Amino acid sequence: MSEALWTNIDTYIEERLIPQDDALLAAITASRAAGLPPIAVSAAHGRFLQLIARVVGARRILEVGTLGGYSAIWLARGLVPGGSLVTLEIDPDHAEVARSNIARAGLAASVTVRTGPALESLPALAAAGGGPFDLAFIDADKANNPNYVEWAVRLGRTGTLIVVDNVVREGAILDPSSRDDAVRGTRRTYELVGSHPRLVATAIQTVGTKGHDGFLMALVTDSGVRR
Ligand code: SAH
Ligand code: DHB
Ligand code: MG
């Protein structure tokens, strides 16, 4: 099995299930032109996020890590009419590209890109009474994932779904002595989520255009209803 095969299969999936979309293509093109790293979710994962938002009936979505707004566009398309998404981005250049991509997609009214370190924006959101969020997508600096999960619970409610990206990292997460901050943060996220009294979770491994990785999904419950 090879990455070329996984990529060909992603192409097969996209050709059959995910119609070409001008706003999404333009978001990728503009992000690349602006020098943003090519690390947005794949189209197949983007559509998955949209479906999750639909299933959840999301009225409010929180995203941590905007980049060029690609995943935000997918998520915002899954909102109920009149719903809103707040996405947090530390890099002002990324945020500017994202705002332009989101406006081009016709989503400027429902999406707010908030610039700044997420660990400053999250308390500000809480203080402003933002939330409760129905769905959270965590996809920023992986070292802070445990903090972001805790904030997502705080800003959520019973029934909130939390999705964390990049939790497999080609298996690097298996190394308990890794010096990689992303690996360490991800491993601490598993420990936190696995022992959290209110979270029921799993993680799903994925292969595709972005290699071997995975995402974690956690449901916020009232105290510890696990089966
Ligand atoms: N969700 C995006 C990809 C996000 S890439 C998509 O799929 O389209 C990760 C983003 O998180 C980058 O833009 C990076 O600048 C941002 N980031 C990194 N550290 C951050 C922090 N402390 N607070 C907020 N954003 C951060
Ligand atoms: C990286 C970050 C991501 O969120 C991702 O999906 C893939 C790669 C990275 O920082 O390399
Ligand atoms: Mg990611």
Side-chain angles (χ1 to χ4, degrees):
M1 280 203 299
S2 70
E3 200 140 339
L5 175 63
W6 304 338
T7 298
N8 290 341
I9 292 172
D10 257 351
T11 302
Y12 180 97
I13 291 167
E14 285 175 33
E15 284 172 355
R16 282 153 187 83
L17 304 181
I18 308 175
Q20 292 278 335
D21 184 296
D22 288 344
L24 287 167
L25 287 174
I28 293 293
T29 304
S31 297
R32 193 184 303 136
L36 273 53
I39 56 175
V41 296
S42 68
H45 281 213
R47 169 57 63 74
F48 175 75
L49 292 172
Q50 178 188 23
L51 294 178
I52 291 292
R54 278 291 288 272
V55 168
V56 161
R59 178 167 302 282
R60 290 195 186 89
I61 300 177
L62 171 66
E63 179 179 67
V64 185
T66 314
L67 192 66
Y70 184 80
S71 56
I73 292 170
W74 277 113
L75 284 163
R77 286 177 172 179
L79 285 164
V80 299
S84 61
L85 178 148
V86 178
T87 179
L88 311 181
E89 174 54 53
I90 197 171
D91 186 319
D93 296 331
H94 294 187
E96 192 182 314
V97 172
R99 286 189 191 103
S100 154
N101 288 337
I102 287 160
R104 192 193 293 104
L107 293 164
S110 51
V111 177
T112 303
V113 182
R114 191 174 178 129
T115 309
L119 287 180
E120 291 179 16
S121 298
L122 289 161
L125 279 180
F133 293 97
D134 309 304
L135 173 64
F137 180 53
I138 297 174
D139 190 24
D141 50 326
K142 314 310 177 192
N144 274 315
N145 274 350
N147 296 321
Y148 298 149
V149 168
E150 283 182 338
W151 273 107
V153 173
R154 204 167 304 163
L155 290 167
R157 54 166 171 82
T158 295
T160 294
L161 188 66
I162 302 171
V163 180
V164 185
D165 199 20
N166 310 118
V167 299
V168 171
R169 320 194 69 81
E170 300 179 310
I173 56 151
L174 293 180
D175 180 4
S177 55
S178 175
R179 299 286 104 200
D180 181 338
D181 286 340
V183 170
R184 292 158 71 92
T186 300
R187 288 176 59 87
R188 283 191 293 116
T189 303
Y190 280 95
E191 301 307 318
L192 171 83
V193 171
S195 62
H196 196 292
R198 291 187 66 198
L199 295 177
V200 182
T202 189
I204 300 294
Q205 299 187 61
T206 57
V207 294
T209 57
K210 295 184 70 189
H212 176 208
D213 211 329
F215 57 86
L216 183 149
M217 293 183 94
L219 183 69
V220 181
T221 66
D222 41 25
S223 53
V225 180
R226 285 183 174 255
R227 48 197 126 233

